[in-house]
Amino acid sequence: RGPAVWPGPHRSGQALLVDLLDIPAAYKLSSPDDPVYTSPVEPVAVHVKRKPNAYRGHATRVTVYLDLPAPLVEGRTYRVGFHGLNTAQASVDYTHDTQSVRSEAVHASHVGYRPDDPYKAGKLSVWRGTGGAWDFDGLERPIRFELIREDTGGVVYRGEAALVKDAEESESLPGGRNFAQTPVYALDFSSFSEPGTYRLHVPGVGTSDPLTIADDAWADAYALSMKGIWQHRSGVPLGPPVVDFDRPAAMKPGLNVEVYPVDVTKLEGESDAINAAAGRFAQLDPADRPKPVPHAWGGYMDAGDWDRRSNHLTHGILLLELIELYPDTLAELPLALREDEANNRLPDTLDEALWNVDFFMRIQEPDGGVRGGIESSAHPRHGETSWQESLFVGLFAPDPVTSWLFAANAARAARVLDGLDDDRAKTYRDAAVRAYQWAHANRDNVIDAMRDAGKRSGARRAASQALNLAAVELYRLTAEPQYHDDFKATTELNTKDGPGGKLLRQETAIFAYARMPDALAEPALKAKARRFILESAQTAIDFTRGNAFNLASADAGIPIMGWVGYFTIPGNLSQVLPRAYALTGDDRYLDAALRSTQFGVGVNPDNRAFATGLGPNPPVWPLHLDSRHSGQPAPVGITICGPSDPAADHAFERWAHQWVFADTMTPDSKTWPAYEAYTDIAVLPSYNEYTINLLFKNAYTWGVLAARPSRTSRTAP
C-alpha cells in the first residue's frame, strides 16, 4: 500500500516574530516624492489579524494595518521598512495607485454575472483585527466607487456606496448581533450589463479581483459544480481527459473491496451500526456468513468517507427537478462525463442524476425493498485511499425510508425520460412502484424490529416524510388516486399554513404539488402549496435583507455552523427562492436568489469562493482523503461547509480553538467576526469537510441561474 502522502505548504526560514507585529517602532515609512514622509516616520498605531491558512495550521496569514500620521497621496511612491521584524525582505516599495492596487476591503464575485441578472453588486468592508471596526475615515462622503475595464482601465460605471449595516446594528442571523463587527457597504451596479471583464474600484481604497459579465458566467460555475459531483462517483475510474484528478475505480466489489449484506438498517445509525453488525458477522461460522454482493457499486462517495447512504436521494432529486424546470436550456449545457454518456441522447445533467438513481436500483431486492446504501465500519484508516479500503464494508438492509426515497427519484426519472428513452423510463416506473409497495407493506415491522428503540420515533417521522415525497411523484407519474390519497394523508399543508419550521422538510414534495397539472390537483391544496413556497420565499427575502452579506434562510432558527453550509450554500437548507422564481417568473425572487449566492462565490471579507477551483482564492485543503493520500490537488467543484460562528462555542470545534487557533490566531479566535472566521485547514471537519448533498444543493441554485431563459439585457447608463 505504501506510506500515506500528506503534502503541506512549503516552509523555509525562521518563524515570524509575531510578538513584535503591533509595535509602531518596528516600522518606518518614507517617500522620495511625498514631503510629509521625506524623513522616515513611524506609524501612529499598528493593528494585526492573523489566522492559519494551510493544511494543519502550520502556516498563517498575517495582515498588518498601519495608522499613519498623514494620508498617502495618489501616484506617490513609498517605502515601508520592517527594521524591527525578521521578515524575508527588509522593506517593500509601494506606489499609491488605488486603481491598480488590490484591496482586501473590496469584495466581488468570482463567478460574475449574466448581463440580464437583475442583481450585480460587490461589498466594501474591512475589520482590522486588534484594531476592530473601520469606517474608511478620510474618504469623502458619500463613498464613491467605479467599475473599470480590466483591459483598458477605462471607467464604465460610477456609483455611490450604500451602507448596508453599521458595526453595531443587529442582523437577521440567529442571536441578532452584528456578525461583521465593522460597517459594510454595497457597491451596486445592477443596471450595468455590457459583457466584459472588470474590477470594482473605490478611489482611495483599491480594487477588487476581476469579475466578468458574460452570458455563460453561471453556466461555467454550474459546470464546475457538476464536475465536483462527477468526481465523487464510486466504482469507476476518474481522470484525464475528463478531469485532472486521477483515481482508479474505487470501492468496486471483486476488484478492491467486498461488500457484505448486514442485518441492520440505515435507520439505526451509520458506521457505528455497521461496526456492530460486523461484530455479529465475525461470530458466525464462515459457512453461515452472507455472501458478498457483487452488484453493490456506484453512487457517490461522501466527503472524506466512502459511504453511499440513502440520504443522498433526498437531494439528488434536485438534479431531476432542474431537468424538468429547464429541459431545453439544460440540454445545451455540456458537462464533464464519460465518453459514452457525453455522446448519448440524454442531457448531461440527466446522465448525472441517473447515476445516483441507478446505484439504489442496483441494490433493490427482488421483492421491491431498497437497501439503505453502503457504509464502512469506521472512518477510513490513516493513509488508506478509497481504493485501498481494508475495513469491513456493509450493505444496509432494506428500509421503508430508503425505499420511498428511491421510489420518488425513480418515478421522477421515469417522467423525465418519457420520450427520451421509453424502455428505461418503464424500468424506473416499475422499480418505483415495487419499492413503494414494499415500503407500505413493511414499514411497521421494520421499524418495530429496530434494535435501538430510542430511534423509532425518528424513523417514523422520516418514513412519513419519504412517503409524502414518493406519493406526490408517483401520483404525477401515474395519476392513480391511491398515491394522491397518501400524499394528502401525510402532507403538513393541511395542518400548517405558514412558512418555515418543520414544514420545510416537505419542501420538495410541496413544490412538486404546486406544479401539479390542474387536471390532477385539488385546487385548494395546490393553492396552499403555492402559497407555502411563496410565503417561505418572502421569509427568505426578509432574512436576506436583514444581514450585511445577503445570506438567505427560510428558517431563522438554523444554527450558524459549517455543517449545514450556512455561509456557502445559497439558502442553506432550503431552495424556496429559485423555486418561487420558477413558479412565478418574478424577478424579485430571482434577485434574492442571486443575492443568496454572493457570499459563497467571493463577496465576503475573505474574498474567497468556497468551492475548490473557483476564483483566485479558493479552498485548497478540503477534507478529501483521496487527494491528500495520493499527493494530488483536491478535485475542483467541491463546495465545503465553510465557517461557523466562533462565538457560538460549538462543542465539535472547541478542540480547534484550544489546540490550533490559540497559537495561530490574533485576536482570540472566538472573538472573530463570523463572516471572517473560516480557516483553510483540513483537520477541522465542520469548516473544511462537505457532503455530496451540499454539492447537490449548490449545483441546483447555480443551475437555475445558468439555465433560466434569457431576457433582454438591461440598458447600461
Side-chain angles (χ1 to χ4, degrees):
R1 294 178 184 274
V5 179
W6 293 87
H10 175 72
R11 292 176 288 151
S12 62
Q14 300 175 344
L16 184 65
L17 298 175
V18 294
D19 292 340
L20 303 179
L21 285 172
D22 60 353
I23 298 176
Y27 308 87
K28 297 288 186 183
L29 190 74
S30 60
S31 172
D33 50 9
D34 183 347
V36 174
Y37 294 99
T38 299
S39 298
V41 176
E42 292 181 6
V44 175
V46 180
H47 313 292
V48 178
K49 66 183 178 189
R50 182 173 64 107
K51 68 177 177 178
N53 70 332
Y55 174 68
R56 290 183 180 271
H58 298 313
T60 59
R61 177 182 177 87
V62 180
T63 307
V64 177
Y65 304 88
L66 306 180
D67 283 356
L68 302 176
L72 304 183
V73 179
E74 286 280 344
R76 304 291 173 86
T77 300
Y78 301 85
R79 172 164 292 180
V80 184
F82 310 112
H83 66 284
L85 298 173
N86 62 333
T87 52
Q89 296 172 258
S91 64
V92 294
D93 292 332
Y94 165 71
T95 299
H96 191 56
D97 176 11
T98 60
Q99 190 168 346
S100 61
V101 171
R102 175 73 182 90
S103 171
E104 69 161 346
V106 188
H107 322 309
S109 171
H110 296 159
V111 166
Y113 305 93
R114 275 178 32 168
D116 60 346
D117 281 348
Y119 176 79
K120 308 179 190 78
K123 293 289 170 69
L124 175 70
S125 73
V126 65
W127 174 74
R128 299 176 302 164
T130 57
W134 192 54
D135 199 12
F136 303 95
D137 301 339
L139 292 187
E140 293 183 7
R141 304 300 163 122
I143 299 173
R144 301 186 183 277
F145 75 93
E146 303 169 336
L147 196 64
I148 59 177
R149 288 192 64 92
E150 175 75 347
D151 52 359
T152 67
V155 176
V156 298
Y157 184 92
R158 290 186 172 89
E160 294 181 359
L163 181 65
V164 180
K165 287 288 180 183
D166 211 340
E168 303 301 323
E169 285 189 79
S170 63
E171 298 191 73
S172 53
L173 279 63
R177 66 184 190 278
N178 188 279
F179 294 84
Q181 300 183 29
T182 195
V184 179
Y185 294 84
L187 311 176
D188 195 309
F189 55 99
S190 298
S191 60
F192 184 81
S193 61
E194 181 181 345
T197 302
Y198 307 94
R199 289 179 187 259
L200 283 167
H201 171 224
V202 179
V205 177
T207 72
S208 70
D209 289 312
L211 65 91
T212 61
I213 298 177
D215 290 334
D216 58 0
W218 286 108
D220 288 347
Y222 174 65
L224 179 79
S225 66
M226 293 297 287
K227 187 178 288 187
I229 290 173
W230 189 86
Q231 290 174 107
H232 284 77
R233 287 188 178 191
S234 181
V236 291
L238 310 176
V242 181
V243 292
D244 293 332
F245 181 67
D246 198 355
R247 190 211 71 190
M251 303 295 287
K252 187 66 180 287
L255 177 64
N256 47 35
V257 73
E258 296 296 353
V259 180
Y260 294 92
V262 297
D263 60 352
V264 65
T265 69
K266 178 192 168 295
L267 302 177
E268 295 189 70
E270 298 177 1
S271 58
D272 55 338
I274 294 294
N275 187 50
R280 294 189 293 273
F281 181 92
Q283 292 174 6
L284 294 173
D285 185 277
D288 296 329
R289 292 174 183 171
K291 298 296 186 289
V293 182
H295 55 271
W297 64 273
Y300 297 104
M301 296 192 301
D302 207 8
D305 307 319
W306 330 132
D307 60 85
R308 284 144 286 153
R309 300 191 302 271
S310 57
N311 57 310
H312 298 180
L313 290 164
T314 305
H315 296 101
I317 198 170
L318 294 175
L319 299 183
L320 292 166
E321 183 173 300
L322 268 179
I323 287 285
E324 280 200 301
L325 292 176
Y326 306 106
D328 296 333
T329 48
L330 267 182
E332 298 172 359
L333 293 181
L335 303 178
L337 292 173
R338 301 181 307 181
E339 184 177 359
D340 60 328
E341 294 172 324
N343 296 329
N344 66 16
R345 297 174 51 203
L346 303 183
D348 287 357
T349 297
L350 182 52
D351 279 307
E352 197 63 78
L354 295 179
W355 179 264
N356 198 44
V357 184
D358 285 346
F359 164 61
F360 287 95
M361 189 159 65
R362 202 172 288 126
I363 56 176
Q364 184 177 28
E365 294 292 289
D367 62 2
V370 184
R371 292 181 173 272
I374 294 172
E375 176 72 272
S376 300
S377 58
H379 291 308
R381 289 188 168 120
H382 183 72
E384 288 188 348
T385 61
S386 58
W387 59 93
Q388 298 170 321
E389 175 69 281
S390 62
L391 293 166
F392 179 88
V393 179
L395 177 64
F396 286 111
D399 71 82
V401 175
T402 298
S403 298
W404 273 320
L405 288 176
F406 168 76
N409 280 259
R412 186 172 288 195
R415 199 165 66 242
V416 172
L417 280 164
D418 185 34
L420 293 173
D421 189 333
D422 291 341
D423 289 341
R424 197 171 180 186
K426 184 180 185 304
T427 298
Y428 287 124
R429 177 188 174 118
D430 293 345
V433 170
R434 290 190 299 111
Y436 192 96
Q437 293 173 342
W438 182 92
H440 251 306
N442 291 276
R443 170 176 50 184
D444 292 338
N445 63 294
V446 169
I447 293 176
D448 289 345
M450 289 172 59
R451 289 180 173 86
D452 190 338
K455 293 184 177 180
R456 287 175 186 164
S457 60
R460 293 191 189 280
R461 286 193 299 271
S464 179
Q465 301 292 346
L467 166 58
N468 183 252
L469 180 59
V472 74
E473 293 297 335
L474 273 161
Y475 179 55
R476 176 73 182 271
L477 176 67
T478 68
E480 293 181 11
Q482 72 176 81
Y483 299 119
H484 199 196
D485 292 342
D486 283 351
F487 173 76
K488 289 185 290 183
T490 54
T491 182
E492 295 181 26
L493 283 170
N494 290 323
T495 58
K496 297 186 178 184
D497 293 326
K502 294 181 180 179
L503 195 51
L504 283 170
R505 298 174 185 172
Q506 294 187 339
E507 182 188 321
T508 298
I510 291 171
F511 180 61
Y513 201 85
R515 297 182 62 247
M516 188 73 66
D518 288 341
L520 293 176
E522 287 187 2
L525 189 58
K526 182 174 179 178
K528 276 187 177 182
R530 179 183 173 90
R531 184 169 67 249
F532 169 76
I533 296 295
L534 299 188
E535 288 180 353
S536 297
Q538 186 59 53
T539 297
I541 289 173
D542 294 342
F543 189 94
T544 299
R545 292 172 177 167
N547 64 82
F549 286 93
N550 302 126
L551 302 175
S553 180
D555 183 353
I558 296 171
I560 308 173
M561 59 181 180
W563 295 120
V564 299
Y566 200 99
F567 295 92
T568 63
I569 303 299
N572 54 68
L573 298 182
S574 170
Q575 286 77 45
V576 291
L577 288 171
R579 283 170 167 164
Y581 174 68
L583 282 178
T584 65
D586 190 331
D587 262 6
R588 68 193 182 100
Y589 300 119
L590 176 60
D591 177 283
L594 280 161
R595 291 173 189 260
S596 74
T597 66
Q598 296 298 282
F599 191 97
V601 300
V603 188
N604 59 64
D606 263 346
N607 301 295
R608 179 195 301 273
F610 287 94
T612 55
L614 179 59
N617 184 33
V620 177
W621 305 101
L623 187 54
H624 180 265
L625 297 185
D626 276 354
S627 59
R628 297 282 69 82
H629 288 156
S630 61
Q632 301 179 75
V636 301
I638 297 174
T639 298
I640 60 173
C641 294
S644 297
D645 177 13
D649 192 31
H650 296 299
F652 49 80
E653 291 168 354
R654 288 174 188 159
W655 69 270
H657 289 279
Q658 180 176 357
W659 300 107
V660 180
F661 298 154
D663 296 326
T664 58
M665 291 188 79
T666 306
D668 181 270
S669 59
K670 292 188 178 181
T671 69
W672 277 59
Y675 292 130
E676 204 168 343
Y678 172 76
T679 60
D680 192 8
I681 56 172
V683 291
L684 182 53
S686 59
Y687 280 24
N688 259 33
E689 201 176 7
Y690 57 95
T691 67
I692 195 69
N693 287 338
L694 292 185
L695 273 62
F696 284 139
K697 289 191 284 187
N698 195 48
Y700 176 82
T701 299
W702 289 7
V704 170
L705 297 177
R708 74 185 199 271
S710 61
R711 298 185 177 185
T712 303
S713 297
R714 299 160 188 262
T715 303

